Structure formats: structure tokens, C-alpha cells
Amino acid sequence: MQEEYEHQKDQSNRELLVELMEKYGDMVLRVAFTYVKERQLAEDLSQEVFIRCYQSLDAFENCSSYQTWLYRITVNYCKDYVKSWSFRNLIPYSLIKRNGQEFDSVASMVMKKEDNDALFLQVLKLSVKLREVLVLYYYEDLAVEEIADVLDLNPNTVKSRLHRARKSLKYHMEGGVILEK
């Protein structure tokens, strides 16, 4: 009887995971990309996020939506990855040349996908703290309170970072240099 219950629970978790991947897979990929700026690496991180999601489904307490929960898992995993030795010390794949030709960088592919929007490229040049709030606010349509919950910040801190990020982007778009902090 216990084995049957475990099998049914495992089956329903798999079905839920597939549903979450279909519904939020693009969102997880976009958020991961904003941290690592490499499409292949962002895809790998997205897979790891969903593995963690699957492993933690039984612990999900419905205190937030699945979307907010996945944002939090993605942000935390990407922050940990960016801090890791391997990320800081390995050559990005987009810089490797094959047959004398450079691979398209992920940033150029994203710009094409985003109708060559120069603003997105500038967003990617911001520091992680500024970039993550902009992406969650403008690209993922999260409210300030939701971003604060996902990033475990005070809502006023999110507002401040949004203000600084907008100011930095405006300055750069008018011909200045991007402000990192």
C-alpha cells in the first residue's frame, strides 16, 4: 500500500514538474541568462533549477505561487553559480573560435530575438544587483513586492535599485558610460 502511494505521489510530482517546465521554462531561462550571459550555460542552469524544483516539490508549502517559488530557486541557484570558482575562472564559450569563426554570442542572439533592442544589451552590462531588479520588473512583470520576496530584500531596496538602474541606463543611452554601482 505504501509503495502504491509513493508511486502515485512520484507520478503526480512528475506531471506537475512537466507542467511547471512548460509554463515557466522560458522565464527561468531568461532569468538565468541575465546572470551568466551565455545561452548554453543558461540552459544548463535552467535544467538544474528544475531538478532542484522536482527534489523540493514535497517541501513546497503553498505560501507563494509556483512562479514566485521558481524565481527564488532560479535567482539563488544563479547567484551561487556566479560566485563559484568554475564560473569566474573558465573562458566563456562564446569567446572560443572554431574554424576561424566566432560563435554568435548569446547577447547578439538575444538582441536579435528582442528585435535588436539596444536597451537590453545595456541592461546586461549593469551590475547583477541592478540588472536582476530590472529584468524581474520589466521583462518578467513582477511587482516591487514580489521582487522583494524573490530576492529577499526590503521593497524600498528594490525601489532604490530600480531607480539607480534606470538612471544608469538613461545616462548611458544619452552617451555616457554605464554606471556599475
Side-chain angles (χ1 to χ4, degrees):
M1 184 93 123
Q2 182 66 21
E3 281 183 30
E4 186 176 320
Y5 171 76
E6 290 295 325
H7 177 72
Q8 288 174 347
K9 188 170 101 175
D10 193 44
Q11 181 65 29
S12 66
N13 281 355
R14 278 187 251 142
E15 290 170 1
L16 178 58
L17 179 67
V18 169
E19 183 180 321
L20 292 173
M21 289 172 69
E22 289 172 355
K23 190 169 184 178
Y24 301 114
D26 289 340
M27 174 270 302
V28 169
L29 180 62
R30 281 191 306 270
V31 172
F33 176 78
T34 64
Y35 282 89
V36 296
K37 301 179 188 176
E38 293 287 328
R39 183 165 181 81
Q40 184 63 46
L41 185 53
E43 289 173 354
D44 293 345
L45 291 176
S46 297
Q47 289 178 359
E48 289 297 323
V49 164
F50 282 110
I51 289 170
R52 286 183 175 206
C53 170
Y54 179 75
Q55 293 169 339
S56 302
L57 277 174
D58 291 334
F60 181 71
E61 298 175 354
N62 287 319
C63 294
S64 63
S65 68
Y66 281 116
Q67 180 181 21
T68 301
W69 184 60
L70 277 169
Y71 274 123
R72 177 163 274 179
I73 292 171
T74 305
V75 166
N76 289 337
Y77 187 72
C78 290
K79 282 181 176 181
D80 289 345
Y81 184 81
V82 169
K83 290 178 190 175
S84 73
W85 179 91
S86 60
F87 179 75
R88 290 181 287 132
N89 293 292
L90 295 178
I91 299 170
Y93 187 70
S94 64
L95 300 179
I96 298 172
K97 294 183 178 185
R98 183 181 288 166
N99 298 331
Q101 293 183 331
E102 266 187 32
F103 289 108
D104 277 345
S105 71
V106 174
S108 69
M109 290 175 9
V110 168
M111 284 186 351
K112 289 175 189 173
K113 184 176 180 186
E114 297 286 330
D115 297 324
N116 295 319
D117 185 2
L119 184 60
F120 189 73
L121 181 61
Q122 300 311 317
V123 168
L124 292 176
K125 292 180 180 179
L126 292 171
S127 67
V128 171
K129 288 181 179 183
L130 299 181
R131 184 172 62 233
E132 67 188 359
V133 295
L134 275 180
V135 168
L136 293 174
Y137 188 79
Y138 288 107
Y139 290 88
E140 300 301 329
D141 295 322
L142 292 185
V144 169
E145 293 75 21
E146 292 174 306
I147 296 169
D149 184 42
V150 167
L151 299 176
D152 199 24
L153 297 171
N154 182 304
N156 289 331
T157 303
V158 172
K159 290 176 187 176
S160 173
R161 287 182 184 178
L162 278 170
H163 175 75
R164 287 185 5 237
R166 288 181 194 122
K167 186 175 178 181
S168 180
L169 285 173
K170 180 180 180 195
Y171 177 76
H172 180 70
M173 296 306 282
E174 291 174 350
V177 176
I178 203 93
L179 302 173
E180 285 295 322
K181 302 190 184 195

